[in-house]
Each structure stands twice: as structure tokens, then as C-alpha cells.
Amino acid sequence: METIKIQYLNDEVERLRYIDGKSDWIDLRAAEDVELKAGEFRLIHLGVAMQLPEGYEAHIVPRSSTFKNFGVIQTNHMGVIDETYCGANDWWRMPVYAVRDTKICRNDRISQFRIMKHQPQITFEEGKLTGEDRGGFGSTGKN
């Protein structure tokens, strides 16, 4: 088991935990109340800074209900934080764009993360591909 050193913004931020063993993703919450008008952009403070283990990175994505509940889109679609972003002021944030007027309250669950090992060193070898042809982009699920 890996250990991650974590710093919370304050005592009002709900502490991180797995949710009922349903997933290995961990929910992140807004650390502030945020009101946005349609068309506005904001970096929403997630209330945590972490020191990830060497060789790991965090992948941050919206929860499946974030758009439905709050009408915001994560502008980078997936955030990646590596182990070098680990200082006392390296707070995690979620960049969002509002498609409608909305309000997000402190401790609303708006995103989730998991940590992953860095990709191994790879090389590319040019050549003709010989695997089974699946029909190209957009072909899955037609039938």
C-alpha cells in the first residue's frame, strides 16, 4: 500500500475517503462556494495539496454527475498532476467552464482522482500493422 502525504486547506474541507468500496477513484470536493454565470471560467479550489509517491501521477476527471448537477465542463477534460507538484502552495484545482448559471457549494463532490504509475519508457517501431481490422474510427457498436 502506498502512503500519500496530504495537506487540507482548512478544517471545513471534508476529508478524502473511498466511497463504500464502489470504486478505486476518490471523490474531490469544492473547497469554496462558487457562483458562475453561463460562459464564465473559474479554477475551483479542491482543498487539497498532496505529495505523491515518486513515479506516480494523479488523474483528475469530473464525476459522471458533474455536468448534469452543475452545468460545468472541466476545460482540460483530464488533469494530470505529477509527483513534482508537491509544495505547500501546490493546491489542486479544477478548471471549469459554465454552460449555464450555476452554484457549487463548499464540499459538493465535483471531481474524482486516482493515482497511476508513470508510463514505462517505450520505443516506436515503424511497420505495417497485422492485427485484425475493426473498421476504423466510430465503428464500434454499430450493430
Short mmCIF file of all heavy atoms in Angstrom, two decimals, residues 4-10 13-16 28-29 31 45-52 58 60 81-93 113:
data_model
loop_
_atom_site.label_atom_id
_atom_site.label_comp_id
_atom_site.label_asym_id
_atom_site.label_seq_id
_atom_site.Cartn_x
_atom_site.Cartn_y
_atom_site.Cartn_z
N ILE A 4 0.29 8.55 0.95
CA ILE A 4 0.34 9.88 0.35
C ILE A 4 0.22 10.91 1.46
O ILE A 4 -0.75 10.89 2.23
CB ILE A 4 -0.79 10.08 -0.68
CG1 ILE A 4 -0.62 9.08 -1.83
CG2 ILE A 4 -0.81 11.51 -1.18
CD1 ILE A 4 -1.74 9.12 -2.83
N LYS A 5 1.18 11.81 1.52
CA LYS A 5 1.11 12.92 2.47
C LYS A 5 0.15 13.96 1.89
O LYS A 5 0.26 14.33 0.73
CB LYS A 5 2.50 13.52 2.68
CG LYS A 5 2.54 14.51 3.82
CD LYS A 5 3.98 14.89 4.10
CE LYS A 5 4.05 15.68 5.39
NZ LYS A 5 5.44 16.00 5.73
N ILE A 6 -0.82 14.39 2.71
CA ILE A 6 -1.84 15.32 2.23
C ILE A 6 -1.95 16.51 3.17
O ILE A 6 -1.79 16.38 4.38
CB ILE A 6 -3.20 14.60 2.09
CG1 ILE A 6 -4.25 15.49 1.43
CG2 ILE A 6 -3.69 14.08 3.44
CD1 ILE A 6 -5.50 14.75 1.00
N GLN A 7 -2.22 17.66 2.58
CA GLN A 7 -2.45 18.89 3.33
C GLN A 7 -3.83 19.41 2.92
O GLN A 7 -4.13 19.51 1.73
CB GLN A 7 -1.37 19.90 2.97
CG GLN A 7 -1.56 21.28 3.56
CD GLN A 7 -0.41 22.20 3.14
OE1 GLN A 7 0.73 21.92 3.44
NE2 GLN A 7 -0.73 23.25 2.43
N TYR A 8 -4.68 19.68 3.90
CA TYR A 8 -6.01 20.23 3.63
C TYR A 8 -5.98 21.74 3.79
O TYR A 8 -5.24 22.28 4.61
CB TYR A 8 -7.05 19.62 4.57
CG TYR A 8 -7.33 18.16 4.28
CD1 TYR A 8 -6.67 17.16 4.96
CD2 TYR A 8 -8.26 17.80 3.31
CE1 TYR A 8 -6.92 15.82 4.70
CE2 TYR A 8 -8.53 16.47 3.04
CZ TYR A 8 -7.84 15.49 3.73
OH TYR A 8 -8.09 14.16 3.46
N LEU A 9 -6.80 22.43 2.99
CA LEU A 9 -6.88 23.88 3.04
C LEU A 9 -7.29 24.36 4.43
O LEU A 9 -6.72 25.31 4.95
CB LEU A 9 -7.87 24.37 1.99
CG LEU A 9 -8.10 25.88 1.92
CD1 LEU A 9 -6.81 26.59 1.53
CD2 LEU A 9 -9.22 26.21 0.94
N ASN A 10 -8.28 23.68 5.03
CA ASN A 10 -8.77 24.07 6.35
C ASN A 10 -9.62 22.93 6.91
O ASN A 10 -9.81 21.90 6.27
CB ASN A 10 -9.56 25.39 6.28
CG ASN A 10 -10.71 25.33 5.30
OD1 ASN A 10 -11.45 24.34 5.21
ND2 ASN A 10 -10.88 26.39 4.52
N VAL A 13 -12.98 21.55 4.92
CA VAL A 13 -12.91 20.65 3.78
C VAL A 13 -13.09 19.21 4.26
O VAL A 13 -12.36 18.75 5.15
CB VAL A 13 -11.56 20.80 3.04
CG1 VAL A 13 -11.42 19.77 1.93
CG2 VAL A 13 -11.39 22.20 2.50
N GLU A 14 -14.08 18.53 3.69
CA GLU A 14 -14.32 17.15 4.08
C GLU A 14 -13.12 16.29 3.69
O GLU A 14 -12.55 16.44 2.61
CB GLU A 14 -15.60 16.64 3.39
CG GLU A 14 -16.17 15.44 4.10
CD GLU A 14 -17.60 15.14 3.67
OE1 GLU A 14 -18.42 16.07 3.64
OE2 GLU A 14 -17.86 13.96 3.40
N ARG A 15 -12.73 15.39 4.57
CA ARG A 15 -11.55 14.56 4.36
C ARG A 15 -11.79 13.52 3.28
O ARG A 15 -12.90 13.01 3.13
CB ARG A 15 -11.11 13.88 5.66
CG ARG A 15 -10.63 14.80 6.79
CD ARG A 15 -10.10 16.09 6.28
NE ARG A 15 -9.29 16.85 7.22
CZ ARG A 15 -9.28 18.16 7.28
NH1 ARG A 15 -10.06 18.88 6.50
NH2 ARG A 15 -8.48 18.79 8.10
N LEU A 16 -10.74 13.20 2.52
CA LEU A 16 -10.84 12.24 1.43
C LEU A 16 -11.04 10.84 1.97
O LEU A 16 -10.50 10.47 3.01
CB LEU A 16 -9.56 12.26 0.58
CG LEU A 16 -9.21 13.57 -0.11
CD1 LEU A 16 -7.99 13.37 -1.00
CD2 LEU A 16 -10.37 14.11 -0.92
N LEU A 28 -13.26 14.27 -5.10
CA LEU A 28 -12.72 15.56 -4.66
C LEU A 28 -13.88 16.53 -4.58
O LEU A 28 -14.83 16.47 -5.37
CB LEU A 28 -11.67 16.08 -5.65
CG LEU A 28 -10.39 15.26 -5.71
CD1 LEU A 28 -9.60 15.61 -6.96
CD2 LEU A 28 -9.55 15.52 -4.47
N ARG A 29 -13.80 17.46 -3.64
CA ARG A 29 -14.90 18.38 -3.37
C ARG A 29 -14.46 19.82 -3.55
O ARG A 29 -13.29 20.15 -3.39
CB ARG A 29 -15.39 18.18 -1.93
CG ARG A 29 -15.93 16.78 -1.69
CD ARG A 29 -16.13 16.50 -0.21
NE ARG A 29 -16.57 15.14 0.01
CZ ARG A 29 -17.85 14.76 0.04
NH1 ARG A 29 -18.81 15.64 -0.11
NH2 ARG A 29 -18.15 13.51 0.25
N ALA A 31 -13.76 23.38 -2.41
CA ALA A 31 -13.33 23.90 -1.11
C ALA A 31 -13.89 25.29 -0.85
O ALA A 31 -13.53 25.93 0.13
CB ALA A 31 -11.80 23.94 -1.05
N HIS A 45 -11.04 25.64 -6.38
CA HIS A 45 -10.13 25.09 -5.38
C HIS A 45 -10.69 23.77 -4.86
O HIS A 45 -11.86 23.70 -4.47
CB HIS A 45 -9.98 26.09 -4.24
CG HIS A 45 -8.74 25.95 -3.44
ND1 HIS A 45 -8.35 24.77 -2.86
CD2 HIS A 45 -7.78 26.84 -3.14
CE1 HIS A 45 -7.22 24.95 -2.22
NE2 HIS A 45 -6.85 26.21 -2.38
N LEU A 46 -9.87 22.73 -4.86
CA LEU A 46 -10.31 21.41 -4.38
C LEU A 46 -9.90 21.13 -2.95
O LEU A 46 -10.18 20.06 -2.41
CB LEU A 46 -9.79 20.32 -5.33
CG LEU A 46 -10.33 20.42 -6.76
CD1 LEU A 46 -9.65 19.42 -7.67
CD2 LEU A 46 -11.84 20.25 -6.79
N GLY A 47 -9.22 22.08 -2.31
CA GLY A 47 -8.96 22.00 -0.88
C GLY A 47 -7.85 21.07 -0.44
O GLY A 47 -7.70 20.84 0.75
N VAL A 48 -7.09 20.52 -1.39
CA VAL A 48 -6.02 19.60 -1.04
C VAL A 48 -4.74 19.90 -1.82
O VAL A 48 -4.79 20.41 -2.94
CB VAL A 48 -6.41 18.11 -1.28
CG1 VAL A 48 -7.56 17.70 -0.39
CG2 VAL A 48 -6.73 17.85 -2.74
N ALA A 49 -3.64 19.58 -1.19
CA ALA A 49 -2.33 19.51 -1.84
C ALA A 49 -1.75 18.18 -1.38
O ALA A 49 -1.97 17.76 -0.24
CB ALA A 49 -1.44 20.67 -1.42
N MET A 50 -1.03 17.49 -2.27
CA MET A 50 -0.53 16.17 -1.91
C MET A 50 0.91 15.99 -2.37
O MET A 50 1.34 16.61 -3.34
CB MET A 50 -1.38 15.07 -2.56
CG MET A 50 -2.78 15.02 -2.06
SD MET A 50 -3.64 13.61 -2.77
CE MET A 50 -5.30 14.26 -2.82
N GLN A 51 1.59 15.12 -1.67
CA GLN A 51 2.93 14.70 -2.06
C GLN A 51 2.81 13.25 -2.52
O GLN A 51 2.78 12.32 -1.69
CB GLN A 51 3.90 14.83 -0.89
CG GLN A 51 5.34 14.61 -1.29
CD GLN A 51 6.28 15.00 -0.16
OE1 GLN A 51 5.89 15.63 0.82
NE2 GLN A 51 7.53 14.60 -0.30
N LEU A 52 2.69 13.07 -3.83
CA LEU A 52 2.50 11.72 -4.38
C LEU A 52 3.81 10.94 -4.31
O LEU A 52 4.89 11.52 -4.34
CB LEU A 52 2.05 11.82 -5.84
CG LEU A 52 0.72 12.53 -6.08
CD1 LEU A 52 0.44 12.65 -7.58
CD2 LEU A 52 -0.41 11.82 -5.38
N ALA A 58 -1.38 11.77 -10.55
CA ALA A 58 -2.82 11.73 -10.29
C ALA A 58 -3.56 12.14 -11.55
O ALA A 58 -3.15 13.07 -12.25
CB ALA A 58 -3.18 12.68 -9.15
N ILE A 60 -7.17 13.53 -12.71
CA ILE A 60 -8.37 14.17 -12.17
C ILE A 60 -9.38 14.36 -13.30
O ILE A 60 -9.05 14.95 -14.33
CB ILE A 60 -8.03 15.54 -11.54
CG1 ILE A 60 -7.02 15.36 -10.42
CG2 ILE A 60 -9.30 16.22 -11.03
CD1 ILE A 60 -6.51 16.68 -9.85
N ILE A 81 -1.50 15.52 -12.52
CA ILE A 81 -0.60 16.12 -11.54
C ILE A 81 0.48 15.09 -11.24
O ILE A 81 0.17 13.98 -10.82
CB ILE A 81 -1.35 16.51 -10.24
CG1 ILE A 81 -2.40 17.56 -10.55
CG2 ILE A 81 -0.37 16.98 -9.17
CD1 ILE A 81 -3.28 17.94 -9.37
N ASP A 82 1.74 15.47 -11.47
CA ASP A 82 2.80 14.51 -11.19
C ASP A 82 3.40 14.77 -9.81
O ASP A 82 3.01 15.69 -9.10
CB ASP A 82 3.88 14.50 -12.28
CG ASP A 82 4.71 15.77 -12.34
OD1 ASP A 82 4.82 16.50 -11.33
OD2 ASP A 82 5.28 16.04 -13.41
N GLU A 83 4.33 13.90 -9.42
CA GLU A 83 4.87 13.94 -8.06
C GLU A 83 5.72 15.17 -7.78
O GLU A 83 6.02 15.46 -6.62
CB GLU A 83 5.65 12.65 -7.75
CG GLU A 83 7.02 12.57 -8.40
CD GLU A 83 7.01 11.97 -9.81
OE1 GLU A 83 5.97 11.96 -10.48
OE2 GLU A 83 8.08 11.52 -10.24
N THR A 84 6.07 15.95 -8.81
CA THR A 84 6.87 17.16 -8.56
C THR A 84 6.00 18.34 -8.11
O THR A 84 6.53 19.34 -7.64
CB THR A 84 7.68 17.58 -9.81
OG1 THR A 84 6.76 17.97 -10.85
CG2 THR A 84 8.57 16.44 -10.28
N TYR A 85 4.69 18.25 -8.27
CA TYR A 85 3.77 19.30 -7.82
C TYR A 85 3.38 18.96 -6.39
O TYR A 85 2.32 18.39 -6.11
CB TYR A 85 2.54 19.31 -8.75
CG TYR A 85 1.63 20.50 -8.57
CD1 TYR A 85 2.01 21.76 -9.01
CD2 TYR A 85 0.37 20.37 -7.99
CE1 TYR A 85 1.16 22.85 -8.88
CE2 TYR A 85 -0.48 21.44 -7.85
CZ TYR A 85 -0.07 22.69 -8.29
OH TYR A 85 -0.92 23.77 -8.16
N CYS A 86 4.29 19.28 -5.45
CA CYS A 86 4.12 18.75 -4.09
C CYS A 86 4.44 19.75 -2.99
O CYS A 86 4.63 19.37 -1.84
CB CYS A 86 4.99 17.50 -3.93
SG CYS A 86 6.75 17.80 -4.17
N GLY A 87 4.48 21.03 -3.33
CA GLY A 87 4.80 22.04 -2.32
C GLY A 87 3.59 22.46 -1.50
O GLY A 87 2.45 22.12 -1.83
N ALA A 88 3.86 23.21 -0.46
CA ALA A 88 2.80 23.65 0.46
C ALA A 88 1.77 24.54 -0.22
O ALA A 88 0.66 24.69 0.27
CB ALA A 88 3.42 24.37 1.65
N ASN A 89 2.12 25.15 -1.36
CA ASN A 89 1.18 26.01 -2.09
C ASN A 89 0.74 25.40 -3.41
O ASN A 89 0.15 26.08 -4.25
CB ASN A 89 1.79 27.39 -2.32
CG ASN A 89 1.95 28.13 -1.03
OD1 ASN A 89 0.98 28.34 -0.30
ND2 ASN A 89 3.16 28.53 -0.71
N ASP A 90 1.01 24.13 -3.64
CA ASP A 90 0.63 23.46 -4.87
C ASP A 90 -0.76 22.82 -4.72
O ASP A 90 -0.93 21.60 -4.75
CB ASP A 90 1.68 22.40 -5.27
CG ASP A 90 2.99 23.03 -5.70
OD1 ASP A 90 2.97 24.20 -6.15
OD2 ASP A 90 4.02 22.36 -5.60
N TRP A 91 -1.75 23.69 -4.57
CA TRP A 91 -3.13 23.26 -4.34
C TRP A 91 -3.73 22.69 -5.62
O TRP A 91 -3.50 23.21 -6.70
CB TRP A 91 -3.97 24.44 -3.85
CG TRP A 91 -3.51 24.95 -2.54
CD1 TRP A 91 -2.80 26.09 -2.30
CD2 TRP A 91 -3.71 24.33 -1.26
NE1 TRP A 91 -2.55 26.21 -0.96
CE2 TRP A 91 -3.10 25.14 -0.30
CE3 TRP A 91 -4.36 23.17 -0.86
CZ2 TRP A 91 -3.10 24.83 1.06
CZ3 TRP A 91 -4.37 22.85 0.49
CH2 TRP A 91 -3.75 23.68 1.43
N TRP A 92 -4.52 21.65 -5.46
CA TRP A 92 -5.22 21.06 -6.59
C TRP A 92 -6.45 21.92 -6.90
O TRP A 92 -7.17 22.36 -6.00
CB TRP A 92 -5.66 19.65 -6.28
CG TRP A 92 -4.52 18.67 -6.17
CD1 TRP A 92 -3.20 18.95 -5.97
CD2 TRP A 92 -4.61 17.25 -6.24
NE1 TRP A 92 -2.46 17.80 -5.91
CE2 TRP A 92 -3.31 16.73 -6.07
CE3 TRP A 92 -5.67 16.37 -6.41
CZ2 TRP A 92 -3.05 15.37 -6.09
CZ3 TRP A 92 -5.41 15.02 -6.42
CH2 TRP A 92 -4.11 14.53 -6.27
N ARG A 93 -6.67 22.15 -8.18
CA ARG A 93 -7.81 22.94 -8.63
C ARG A 93 -8.43 22.27 -9.86
O ARG A 93 -7.76 21.51 -10.55
CB ARG A 93 -7.40 24.37 -8.98
CG ARG A 93 -6.88 25.12 -7.76
CD ARG A 93 -6.38 26.51 -8.14
NE ARG A 93 -5.68 27.13 -7.03
CZ ARG A 93 -6.24 27.93 -6.14
NH1 ARG A 93 -7.53 28.21 -6.22
NH2 ARG A 93 -5.54 28.46 -5.18
N PHE A 113 -10.34 11.45 -8.51
CA PHE A 113 -8.99 11.19 -8.96
C PHE A 113 -8.58 9.77 -8.60
O PHE A 113 -9.19 9.10 -7.79
CB PHE A 113 -7.99 12.19 -8.35
CG PHE A 113 -7.54 11.85 -6.95
CD1 PHE A 113 -6.30 11.24 -6.74
CD2 PHE A 113 -8.32 12.14 -5.85
CE1 PHE A 113 -5.88 10.93 -5.46
CE2 PHE A 113 -7.90 11.85 -4.57
CZ PHE A 113 -6.67 11.23 -4.37
#
